[in-house]
Amino acid sequence: MAVDKQALSALEQGNAFTGRHIGPDHAQQQAMLSELKLESLSELIEQTVPKSIRSLAVSGESTLNIEAGKTEVQALEYLRALADQNQVNKSYLGMGYYNTHVPNVILRNVLENPGWYTAYTPYQPEISQGRLEALLNFQQMVMDLTGMEVANASLLDEATAAAEAMALFYRTGGRRSNHSKHQVFFVADDVHPQTIDVIKTRAEHMGIQVEVGNPNTDLEKHDIFGVQLQYPGTYGQITDIASIVSKAKEQKAMVSVATDLMALMLLKSPGELGADIALGSSQRFGVPMGFGGPHAAFFAASEKLKRSIPGRIIGVSIDSRGNQAYRMAMQTREQHIRREKATSNICTAQALLANMAAFYAVYHGPQGLKTIAERIHRLTTILQKGLTTLGVQCNNTYFDTLTLKVGSQQEAIYNRAIEAGCNLRRISFDQLGISIDETTTAEDITQLFNVILGQGQDLDIQTIDSQITVSGIKENHRRTDAVLTHPTFNSYHSETDMLRYLKRLENKDYSLTHGMIPLGSCTMKLNATAEMLPVSWPEFANIHPFAPRDQVKGYMTMINELEAALEEITGYDKISMQPNSGAQGEYAGLLAIRNYQEANDQAHRNICLIPSSAHGTNPASAAMVGMKVVVVDCDENGNVDVEDLLAKAEKHSENLSCLMVTYPSTHGVYEEEIGNICDIVHQHGGQVYMDGANMNALVGIAKPGKFGSDVSHLNLHKTFAIPHGGGGPGMGPIGVRSHLAPYLPNHSVSPIEGNHEGMGAVSAAPFGSSSILPISYLYIAMLGQQGLQESSEVAILNANYMAEKLSSHYDVLYRGRNDKVAHECIIDIRPIKEASGVTEEDIAKRLMDYGFHAPTMSFPVAGTLMIEPTESESKDEIDRFVSAMVAIREEVRKVQEGEWPAEDNPLCNAPHTMSDLIDSDWSHPYSREEAVFPLKAAFPLKGSIASKYWPTANRIDNVYGDRNFICSCPSIEDYR
Ligand SMILES: *Cc1c(COP(=O)(O)O)cnc(C)c1O
């Protein structure tokens, strides 16, 4: 037998991950390059990216100092070793984070299922009815349990939700009062400490004074506009909400109650007790703690505040057949319209985790949940009785949390607990906290007795249980109304039924499992399975964010290594992992700028220059730190108008705080002037915030920290492969140059080594949504230096190929040097609209009939579509998309030339559904085949109808939905 010539190293190359991550293989890349009349990727980059910003080594090679890519097997093995360094103790720490049993049917079919996690935010509702229904269930669940009239889906964490409540109260009441200065926000001293931390950070630049105190005694003293309570309190006791509410109302202050959904199964609802807002975390409804996240925060309010609620609200509307259908209501893309006047900067939220929490409620139902809550409470009661019988003092109102007065024994008990593998909460020098959860067993309670009282105490659980006469919930605190009565929560309690319900919803939704989602600015790239696996490893999933640091060595190593890699990639000196979305990163970055300027006697600098093309979160974030937004024009090529920038920087020189600029621009081009732009801002004493959402066009090519920027956020859920989850989770770490490093967020409960002690927190958890960091970690580890660079290059190649193929049919709006685009391109539908009446929305909806998800619509320019194929889409997929777009252009022509009437054609009637097929009368001037299967070449499987994805709703009426605002599950009679 002849010996194969290939050496081992070459064979191992064959296992490289890069070739799996990048869609087009070498031959396809060459084919695309030759369409563009180019020889190589490096020629493309030379023609596209301004030399002035490129990181070029002397040899012309990449300057990215990152290890070579590992194979999937190697990378997972390495991460496994890190995971093994995390110690999974039983957590009794509470503070809003509890162990939970993730129902396996939900774990496998939702959390670990790309059909759910690779979907995008449901801006195209006709192909998102599954997750919209799930999110509506979430809202209904929250409204039921909190007793409030309106709920959103969802916010980032409990602490930021509380900060949003404060901002809402301030907006709607506090600031407007002329008679007295209602500037004080009162926070009860038994609110979770991390929540107080985040509230204080947020208040600082809004001109709000935060008072922390006992609401039962201190409330009257102040002139307050709002109150934040915790129910039950962080130390376990059940707050008497009603009496505090009435005191607050006397001085026209509104009341927000942070609460716990599990406790609310047994406790009177905040709504019933008069609260204006109820908020909290839904984590313990079947979402792992994950060392801090991700989990969905909920936010519910009374009817009168419904137009001011931050975040996304799912609403009910009808489609063009009059069938009920769901969509995002009111605030859809709110920041893009209201800019700095937006109610909040929330964009990416926690959709996937909100879905999981809602499914947990659907699966268990009201009876099941009540049983879980009663059991938790019973075990807590047994613990409480056992301890008090033997003389340990603890609170006598509680749901699941006890605060023990243990005197000088504190240290010894704490250490015995650690030895037994249990984490207790150290509250003060003589107090310990214990929170019981769904996973706690009777044996665990026995173990706790032994730990607390020392061995040999003969406390028998059964005996104590049989002697219980009073519980920790007083009769007048007990919930009496029925909750979760909607059929959704009472229909799917067998695993078979649940599995089918989940699958039915999943099948309604378009995700990356169907085809490309070419959303400009959103970077819907591959979320590799290998990257996703560690998210549900117990060593990452089942860890409390405030677990002692010596138990999370694996996490810390992973986080440190990821930070180092991101520093190398961006050219910044230091990274903070705390912000858990891009918009939160913007906020944290601007905060760093503000605090830096304040520390340097420049507190008066409050002008933030923002180009008109900026993402809506930019001005919304600037407003949150009390900056004044001044808009800078763009020129006809989509670039920042440097003249205008110069003029405005000069005009505001004295007070210039910063510029927020996206690079490459949201117009999809590399502006040549970026260096100059940064210089102008610096010359006037300002800082440069570079929005890093478009880093997918820069990794391995250029480093923002080296070409003029001072701070950026990175959307790990765009560039670094974290899936979008149908609207979250995400991670928005920020990178800063060294002068801003002292102003990165810290955390009062779980301080971050190396960060400045004086800085507050911007998220509830010290490292944000830590449990999804392994995804980005593995992404970088498996691609390595070359793969990262090649990914950016192919992303740029794909976009340019797309622009080239579309350009004879559509106007490509902006191009950079050598007529090249960056990693995305905008096509202009306005001329088409003018000539034919066909809108960008018609085209977006028609793409669904061809089996595609629409590109980004009307951002950053109204009447356009922004297409970003990413490096993960192959040439075949791009060609299919192009063929659909070309066919649609031909359809437009038919409308334009009167072959099809303007008010009855496949474009304005799109999308078409199976209902259209089975209709007995078909009166349209085009055939059913033209409606639902217009072009063989656009469908996979050699153009087989079997491969078609079917939208499940016809065109949904936006206006109807907002006029008839409903954000709860429709009653059964409404089902048509
Ligand atoms: C996505 C995006 C943001 C916001 O990021 P989130 O993670 O959704 O909060 C900000 N700027 C730009 C340009 C974006 O594309």
Side-chain angles (χ1 to χ4, degrees):
M1 217 173 92
V3 175
D4 197 314
K5 282 201 217 77
Q6 281 174 287
L8 181 61
S9 65
L11 291 169
E12 284 187 337
Q13 276 288 309
N15 293 329
F17 172 74
T18 304
R20 305 277 188 209
H21 173 76
I22 294 181
D25 62 16
H26 187 71
Q28 290 187 347
Q29 290 178 27
Q30 281 308 317
M32 290 193 283
L33 284 166
S34 57
E35 287 272 349
L36 296 167
K37 307 200 168 47
L38 294 166
E39 297 286 321
S40 63
L41 279 175
S42 53
E43 192 187 353
L44 169 70
I45 300 309
E46 239 156 66
Q47 287 207 2
T48 309
V49 185
K51 187 142 190 207
S52 58
I53 66 161
R54 286 184 60 192
S55 0
L56 289 170
V58 188
S59 63
E61 298 250 308
S62 167
T63 54
L64 208 52
N65 186 14
I66 299 244
E67 269 181 52
K70 294 181 167 67
T71 64
E72 293 187 21
V73 174
Q74 290 165 341
L76 281 167
E77 243 168 46
Y78 183 78
L79 194 63
R80 179 75 255 167
L82 288 187
D84 289 343
Q85 292 175 28
N86 290 337
Q87 187 185 326
V88 185
N89 269 15
K90 278 179 200 147
S91 174
Y92 298 103
L93 295 167
M95 289 188 263
Y97 302 92
Y98 306 87
N99 299 293
T100 176
H101 291 302
V102 186
N104 288 314
V105 66
I106 297 173
L107 177 71
R108 174 156 291 189
N109 294 288
V110 182
L111 182 62
E112 297 180 341
N113 179 353
W116 284 96
Y117 66 68
T118 68
Y120 183 65
T121 310
Y123 285 118
Q124 298 293 341
E126 294 85 358
I127 53 175
S128 314
Q129 289 295 299
R131 58 193 187 280
L132 284 164
E133 178 169 331
L135 291 171
L136 199 73
N137 292 345
F138 178 82
Q139 291 174 181
Q140 180 71 61
M141 166 185 91
V142 169
M143 286 187 283
D144 274 13
L145 293 181
T146 60
M148 306 302 291
E149 285 144 331
V150 191
N152 77 2
S154 53
L155 294 180
L156 294 164
D157 57 39
E158 177 167 328
T160 53
E164 294 289 345
M166 172 181 72
L168 190 160
F169 289 163
Y170 189 56
R171 254 189 336 265
T172 55
R175 201 172 26 181
R176 297 221 184 92
S177 169
N178 306 327
H179 305 296
S180 55
K181 273 199 181 141
H182 287 277
Q183 302 284 339
V184 177
F185 187 63
F186 187 93
V187 183
D189 51 12
D190 64 348
V191 168
H192 291 320
Q194 72 274 16
T195 304
I196 298 179
D197 192 352
V198 170
I199 286 175
K200 282 183 173 166
T201 309
R202 184 77 68 91
E204 195 184 337
H205 295 285
M206 297 179 74
I208 297 172
Q209 194 188 327
V210 175
E211 288 279 343
V212 180
N214 180 343
N216 296 303
T217 54
D218 302 347
L219 214 48
E220 285 98 1
K221 283 190 283 187
H222 301 290
D223 198 7
I224 54 173
F225 67 86
V227 178
Q228 181 65 54
L229 306 176
Q230 188 95 41
Y231 175 66
T234 191
Y235 307 116
Q237 76 298 347
I238 295 169
T239 323
D240 191 0
I241 304 241
S243 75
I244 300 171
V245 165
S246 65
K247 275 185 212 158
K249 298 271 137 110
E250 277 167 29
Q251 35 181 316
K252 296 201 165 44
M254 288 192 271
V255 176
S256 161
V257 175
T259 186
D260 172 18
L261 295 178
M262 193 62 86
L264 291 182
M265 288 305 300
L266 307 184
L267 294 180
K268 258 191 194 140
S269 71
E272 189 178 340
L273 299 170
D276 300 286
I277 288 177
L279 57 88
S281 167
S282 60
Q283 179 266 318
R284 74 190 306 178
F285 272 30
V287 181
M289 290 186 287
F291 194 41
H295 341 105
F298 59 86
F299 191 102
S302 55
E303 173 78 18
K304 66 177 193 287
L305 297 175
K306 76 176 179 195
R307 305 252 162 209
S308 316
I309 294 178
R312 297 167 179 149
I313 301 183
I314 309 307
V316 183
S317 186
I318 51 169
D319 72 4
S320 60
R321 298 186 147 265
N323 289 328
Q324 188 177 278
Y326 309 121
R327 55 179 279 281
M328 291 203 286
M330 302 191 299
Q331 286 90 340
T332 302
R333 293 256 146 144
E334 193 226 23
Q335 299 101 13
H336 287 317
I337 299 156
R338 306 195 53 204
R339 316 291 289 186
E340 69 273 15
K341 294 188 188 65
T343 46
S344 88
N345 71 341
I346 297 290
C347 181
T348 287
Q350 305 280 21
L352 184 72
L353 304 312
N355 290 337
M356 284 181 70
F359 286 138
Y360 179 91
V362 166
Y363 192 42
H364 286 301
Q367 276 318 314
L369 288 175
K370 190 148 186 231
T371 304
I372 294 170
E374 292 283 14
R375 189 177 160 279
I376 291 171
H377 184 57
R378 190 75 182 181
L379 287 172
T380 313
T381 307
I382 292 170
L383 182 65
Q384 203 265 3
K385 297 296 170 212
L387 291 175
T388 46
T389 320
L390 290 176
V392 181
Q393 268 186 48
C394 41
N395 44 314
N396 52 19
T397 69
Y398 51 85
F399 164 64
D400 65 358
T401 296
L402 301 177
T403 294
L404 284 47
K405 264 210 170 338
V406 289
S408 59
Q409 284 291 299
Q410 200 238 33
E411 183 81 15
I413 296 173
Y414 179 84
N415 289 332
R416 278 205 298 273
I418 293 280
E419 258 166 57
C422 303
N423 292 342
L424 307 185
R425 177 179 176 191
R426 268 197 279 216
I427 292 174
S428 65
F429 70 98
D430 63 350
Q431 288 178 308
L432 287 170
I434 299 180
S435 292
I436 302 303
D437 60 52
E438 179 191 9
T439 68
T440 310
T441 61
E443 291 72 43
D444 292 331
I445 300 294
T446 303
Q447 184 185 41
L448 284 170
F449 281 140
N450 287 333
V451 160
I452 298 161
L453 304 165
Q455 294 290 337
Q457 293 287 354
D458 211 8
L459 280 180
D460 180 55
I461 301 285
Q462 302 304 333
T463 314
I464 304 173
D465 188 35
S466 65
Q467 290 165 353
I468 288 175
T469 49
V470 281
S471 88
I473 304 175
K474 291 190 206 147
E475 227 27 63
N476 64 337
H477 284 148
R478 277 247 163 202
R479 175 153 217 154
T480 50
D481 55 334
V483 292
L484 305 175
T485 53
H486 193 275
T488 306
F489 300 104
N490 295 281
S491 303
Y492 311 107
H493 301 330
S494 83
E495 185 167 329
T496 299
D497 287 338
M498 187 67 192
L499 176 69
R500 289 177 188 158
Y501 181 57
L502 294 175
K503 194 48 106 179
R504 240 178 359 254
L505 294 190
E506 179 195 342
N507 286 346
K508 292 181 176 188
D509 286 11
Y510 193 98
S511 70
L512 284 176
T513 64
H514 295 101
M516 81 158 104
I517 304 183
L519 287 165
S521 213
C522 300
T523 316
M524 300 292 290
K525 61 170 64 178
L526 170 75
N527 316 116
T529 312
E531 291 155 5
M532 294 301 295
L533 290 176
V535 173
S536 36
W537 290 353
E539 295 82 1
F540 287 128
N542 297 340
I543 294 195
H544 192 286
F546 309 147
R549 283 293 159 78
D550 61 0
Q551 293 173 16
V552 291
K553 290 188 183 124
Y555 250 125
M556 295 319 296
T557 305
M558 180 195 66
I559 289 171
N560 288 335
E561 289 184 6
L562 180 57
E563 283 177 3
L566 294 176
E567 283 159 14
E568 175 60 23
I569 287 167
T570 57
Y572 286 114
D573 299 311
K574 199 158 172 11
I575 300 277
S576 164
M577 286 294 179
Q578 199 171 104
N580 43 15
S581 76
Q584 288 299 95
E586 291 170 18
Y587 167 66
L590 293 176
L591 208 55
I593 290 176
R594 264 248 176 223
N595 288 332
Y596 164 79
Q597 288 171 339
E598 249 175 44
N600 289 285
D601 297 326
Q602 307 275 300
H604 61 280
R605 291 190 176 270
N606 69 341
I607 299 290
C608 180
L609 300 177
I610 301 184
S612 57
S613 61
H615 195 268
T617 54
N618 290 187
S621 300
M624 282 167 66
V625 295
M627 289 188 189
K628 263 186 67 190
V629 174
V630 173
V631 178
V632 179
D633 296 337
C634 289
D635 67 17
E636 70 275 16
N637 297 318
N639 295 318
V640 172
D641 181 339
V642 179
E643 289 297 301
D644 192 50
L645 174 74
L646 203 55
K648 283 174 178 154
E650 257 159 30
K651 178 169 174 208
H652 298 286
S653 188
E654 194 65 11
N655 296 319
L656 180 62
S657 175
C658 63
L659 165 77
M660 288 187 96
V661 62
T662 306
Y663 201 81
S665 76
T666 52
H667 288 155
V669 293
Y670 293 94
E671 309 193 41
E672 297 284 325
E673 292 288 331
I674 188 66
N676 187 19
I677 288 169
C678 296
D679 286 347
I680 291 171
V681 173
H682 287 141
Q683 276 155 18
H684 289 277
Q687 298 281 301
V688 175
Y689 185 101
M690 204 169 281
D691 182 325
N694 289 345
M695 267 308 284
N696 210 43
L698 294 179
V699 176
I701 294 175
K703 302 180 179 181
K706 299 285 185 237
F707 64 80
S709 175
D710 300 290
V711 42
S712 292
H713 75 260
L714 305 170
N715 300 68
L716 298 189
H717 48 298
K718 294 176 181 173
T719 311
F720 296 94
I722 291 177
H724 287 247
M731 269 295 279
I734 56 174
V736 294
R737 287 181 46 211
S738 56
H739 64 285
L740 293 178
Y743 308 98
L744 289 173
N746 206 327
H747 199 278
S748 61
V749 182
S750 184
I752 299 164
E753 204 190 323
N755 283 17
H756 200 284
E757 278 174 27
M759 292 297 120
V762 299
S763 299
F767 305 100
S769 297
S770 313
S771 72
I772 51 176
L773 291 176
I775 303 169
S776 297
Y777 181 90
L778 286 174
Y779 173 81
I780 293 170
M782 295 193 297
L783 283 176
Q785 177 233 299
Q786 275 189 349
L788 286 168
Q789 183 178 339
E790 197 181 322
S791 292
S792 307
E793 290 172 352
V794 174
I796 296 164
L797 173 64
N798 279 356
N800 276 285
Y801 176 73
M802 177 79 83
E804 173 65 24
K805 298 298 271 186
L806 289 176
S807 61
S808 39
H809 310 274
Y810 296 89
D811 296 342
V812 175
L813 191 54
Y814 301 119
R815 291 174 186 272
R817 61 202 281 257
N818 298 311
D819 278 345
K820 295 290 182 291
V821 298
H823 65 312
E824 59 197 6
C825 67
I826 299 178
I827 57 171
D828 197 351
I829 309 301
R830 290 169 299 185
I832 288 176
K833 198 167 166 177
E834 204 169 306
S836 66
V838 175
T839 66
E840 70 281 4
E841 188 174 28
D842 294 335
I843 294 178
K845 304 302 179 191
R846 184 61 174 153
L847 273 167
M848 297 171 188
D849 288 332
Y850 284 80
F852 287 99
H853 191 290
T856 298
M857 221 171 68
S858 289
F859 171 76
V861 183
T864 65
L865 295 173
M866 178 156 65
I867 312 171
E868 180 182 359
T870 83
E871 71 278 13
S872 297
E873 298 300 340
S874 69
K875 177 171 177 295
D876 292 342
E877 182 73 5
I878 296 172
D879 286 339
R880 288 202 308 112
F881 181 82
V882 169
S883 71
M885 287 299 289
V886 172
I888 288 173
R889 188 68 187 85
E890 179 59 18
E891 291 176 350
V892 172
R893 188 193 59 75
K894 288 189 187 170
V895 177
Q896 192 171 335
E897 292 175 2
E899 271 179 60
W900 283 329
E903 65 295 332
D904 188 6
N905 60 65
L907 289 148
C908 70
N909 293 337
H912 298 83
T913 60
M914 288 194 193
S915 302
D916 294 324
L917 272 193
I918 59 169
D919 235 354
S920 49
D921 54 309
W922 178 266
S923 56
H924 301 296
Y926 54 96
S927 72
R928 290 180 210 247
E929 189 180 350
E930 280 174 299
V932 304
F933 194 55
L935 177 75
K936 235 175 159 235
F939 294 86
L941 289 181
K942 296 192 179 133
S944 157
I945 183 80
S947 68
K948 181 181 162 72
Y949 163 83
W950 289 91
T952 59
N954 287 85
R955 185 84 63 100
I956 293 174
D957 191 332
N958 287 321
V959 177
Y960 181 94
D962 281 347
R963 280 217 192 107
N964 307 278
F965 178 69
I966 302 173
C967 67
S968 53
C969 292
S971 66
I972 203 74
E973 304 88 69
D974 291 341
Y975 281 114
R976 295 195 218 182

